[in-house]
mmCIF file of all heavy atoms in Angstrom:
data_model
loop_
_atom_site.group_PDB
_atom_site.id
_atom_site.type_symbol
_atom_site.label_atom_id
_atom_site.label_comp_id
_atom_site.label_asym_id
_atom_site.label_seq_id
_atom_site.Cartn_x
_atom_site.Cartn_y
_atom_site.Cartn_z
ATOM 1 N N MET A 25 -18.040 -29.233 -3.028
ATOM 2 C CA MET A 25 -18.270 -28.168 -4.047
ATOM 3 C C MET A 25 -19.051 -28.704 -5.254
ATOM 4 O O MET A 25 -19.952 -28.211 -5.822
ATOM 5 C CB MET A 25 -16.931 -27.623 -4.548
ATOM 6 C CG MET A 25 -17.138 -26.472 -5.421
ATOM 7 S SD MET A 25 -15.503 -25.723 -5.816
ATOM 8 C CE MET A 25 -15.782 -25.192 -7.474
ATOM 9 N N PHE A 29 -23.094 -27.985 -6.985
ATOM 10 C CA PHE A 29 -23.365 -27.691 -8.445
ATOM 11 C C PHE A 29 -24.373 -28.604 -9.051
ATOM 12 O O PHE A 29 -25.041 -28.387 -9.905
ATOM 13 C CB PHE A 29 -22.078 -27.708 -9.259
ATOM 14 C CG PHE A 29 -21.227 -26.555 -9.037
ATOM 15 C CD1 PHE A 29 -20.116 -26.501 -8.302
ATOM 16 C CD2 PHE A 29 -21.550 -25.294 -9.649
ATOM 17 C CE1 PHE A 29 -19.303 -25.440 -8.150
ATOM 18 C CE2 PHE A 29 -20.703 -24.100 -9.499
ATOM 19 C CZ PHE A 29 -19.648 -24.285 -8.740
ATOM 20 N N GLY A 37 -25.134 -21.307 -2.208
ATOM 21 C CA GLY A 37 -23.734 -21.222 -1.729
ATOM 22 C C GLY A 37 -22.725 -21.545 -2.852
ATOM 23 O O GLY A 37 -21.570 -21.492 -2.488
ATOM 24 N N ARG A 38 -23.086 -21.779 -4.094
ATOM 25 C CA ARG A 38 -22.208 -22.049 -5.084
ATOM 26 C C ARG A 38 -21.168 -20.917 -5.296
ATOM 27 O O ARG A 38 -19.874 -21.274 -5.379
ATOM 28 C CB ARG A 38 -22.884 -22.313 -6.454
ATOM 29 C CG ARG A 38 -23.677 -23.513 -6.492
ATOM 30 C CD ARG A 38 -24.303 -23.525 -7.864
ATOM 31 N NE ARG A 38 -25.349 -24.441 -7.855
ATOM 32 C CZ ARG A 38 -26.205 -24.667 -8.896
ATOM 33 N NH1 ARG A 38 -25.963 -24.072 -9.980
ATOM 34 N NH2 ARG A 38 -27.242 -25.512 -8.769
ATOM 35 N N LEU A 39 -21.531 -19.780 -5.305
ATOM 36 C CA LEU A 39 -20.638 -18.673 -5.603
ATOM 37 C C LEU A 39 -19.687 -18.462 -4.389
ATOM 38 O O LEU A 39 -18.395 -18.268 -4.629
ATOM 39 C CB LEU A 39 -21.486 -17.309 -5.835
ATOM 40 C CG LEU A 39 -20.458 -16.116 -6.102
ATOM 41 C CD1 LEU A 39 -19.759 -16.358 -7.404
ATOM 42 C CD2 LEU A 39 -21.448 -14.892 -6.339
ATOM 43 N N GLU A 40 -20.189 -18.543 -3.218
ATOM 44 C CA GLU A 40 -19.337 -18.402 -1.996
ATOM 45 C C GLU A 40 -18.350 -19.521 -1.945
ATOM 46 O O GLU A 40 -17.179 -19.315 -1.772
ATOM 47 C CB GLU A 40 -20.244 -18.396 -0.822
ATOM 48 C CG GLU A 40 -21.098 -17.218 -0.578
ATOM 49 C CD GLU A 40 -22.261 -17.239 -1.346
ATOM 50 O OE1 GLU A 40 -22.673 -18.233 -1.942
ATOM 51 O OE2 GLU A 40 -23.094 -16.173 -1.311
ATOM 52 N N ILE A 41 -18.802 -20.673 -2.284
ATOM 53 C CA ILE A 41 -17.731 -21.869 -2.232
ATOM 54 C C ILE A 41 -16.795 -21.724 -3.306
ATOM 55 O O ILE A 41 -15.551 -21.945 -3.112
ATOM 56 C CB ILE A 41 -18.542 -23.268 -2.329
ATOM 57 C CG1 ILE A 41 -19.381 -23.387 -0.986
ATOM 58 C CG2 ILE A 41 -17.561 -24.398 -2.543
ATOM 59 C CD1 ILE A 41 -20.348 -24.660 -1.122
ATOM 60 N N ALA A 42 -17.158 -21.315 -4.582
ATOM 61 C CA ALA A 42 -16.145 -21.080 -5.627
ATOM 62 C C ALA A 42 -15.219 -19.998 -5.296
ATOM 63 O O ALA A 42 -14.044 -20.126 -5.484
ATOM 64 C CB ALA A 42 -16.950 -20.815 -6.885
ATOM 65 N N GLN A 43 -15.728 -18.920 -4.574
ATOM 66 C CA GLN A 43 -14.734 -17.927 -4.128
ATOM 67 C C GLN A 43 -13.734 -18.404 -3.160
ATOM 68 O O GLN A 43 -12.619 -18.069 -3.113
ATOM 69 C CB GLN A 43 -15.553 -16.661 -3.601
ATOM 70 C CG GLN A 43 -16.273 -15.943 -4.742
ATOM 71 C CD GLN A 43 -17.176 -14.915 -4.094
ATOM 72 O OE1 GLN A 43 -17.479 -14.875 -2.968
ATOM 73 N NE2 GLN A 43 -17.534 -13.864 -5.006
ATOM 74 N N PHE A 44 -14.297 -19.213 -2.172
ATOM 75 C CA PHE A 44 -13.467 -19.697 -1.197
ATOM 76 C C PHE A 44 -12.302 -20.636 -1.754
ATOM 77 O O PHE A 44 -11.246 -20.562 -1.352
ATOM 78 C CB PHE A 44 -14.233 -20.435 -0.101
ATOM 79 C CG PHE A 44 -13.426 -21.223 0.843
ATOM 80 C CD1 PHE A 44 -12.739 -20.496 1.892
ATOM 81 C CD2 PHE A 44 -13.194 -22.566 0.730
ATOM 82 C CE1 PHE A 44 -11.944 -21.109 2.840
ATOM 83 C CE2 PHE A 44 -12.328 -23.241 1.720
ATOM 84 C CZ PHE A 44 -11.774 -22.498 2.796
ATOM 85 N N VAL A 45 -12.710 -21.452 -2.627
ATOM 86 C CA VAL A 45 -11.748 -22.329 -3.255
ATOM 87 C C VAL A 45 -10.727 -21.598 -4.104
ATOM 88 O O VAL A 45 -9.518 -21.828 -4.037
ATOM 89 C CB VAL A 45 -12.532 -23.374 -4.183
ATOM 90 C CG1 VAL A 45 -11.511 -24.083 -5.093
ATOM 91 C CG2 VAL A 45 -13.298 -24.345 -3.334
ATOM 92 N N TRP A 46 -11.086 -20.591 -4.766
ATOM 93 C CA TRP A 46 -10.220 -19.572 -5.607
ATOM 94 C C TRP A 46 -9.274 -19.010 -4.656
ATOM 95 O O TRP A 46 -8.064 -18.921 -4.916
ATOM 96 C CB TRP A 46 -11.072 -18.730 -6.443
ATOM 97 C CG TRP A 46 -10.154 -17.788 -7.285
ATOM 98 C CD1 TRP A 46 -9.632 -18.184 -8.457
ATOM 99 C CD2 TRP A 46 -9.686 -16.560 -6.904
ATOM 100 N NE1 TRP A 46 -8.771 -17.257 -8.887
ATOM 101 C CE2 TRP A 46 -8.866 -16.130 -8.084
ATOM 102 C CE3 TRP A 46 -9.915 -15.660 -5.903
ATOM 103 C CZ2 TRP A 46 -8.254 -14.905 -8.000
ATOM 104 C CZ3 TRP A 46 -9.303 -14.340 -6.027
ATOM 105 C CH2 TRP A 46 -8.509 -14.125 -6.995
ATOM 106 N N LEU A 47 -9.742 -18.385 -3.534
ATOM 107 C CA LEU A 47 -8.889 -17.738 -2.587
ATOM 108 C C LEU A 47 -7.870 -18.648 -1.900
ATOM 109 O O LEU A 47 -6.707 -18.394 -1.718
ATOM 110 C CB LEU A 47 -9.684 -17.000 -1.434
ATOM 111 C CG LEU A 47 -10.398 -15.715 -1.929
ATOM 112 C CD1 LEU A 47 -11.273 -15.285 -0.871
ATOM 113 C CD2 LEU A 47 -9.364 -14.656 -2.285
#
Side-chain angles (χ1 to χ4, degrees):
M25 187 174 145
F29 285 101
R38 290 184 201 172
L39 182 62
E40 290 83 6
I41 292 173
Q43 287 174 343
F44 174 75
V45 169
W46 182 80
L47 283 173

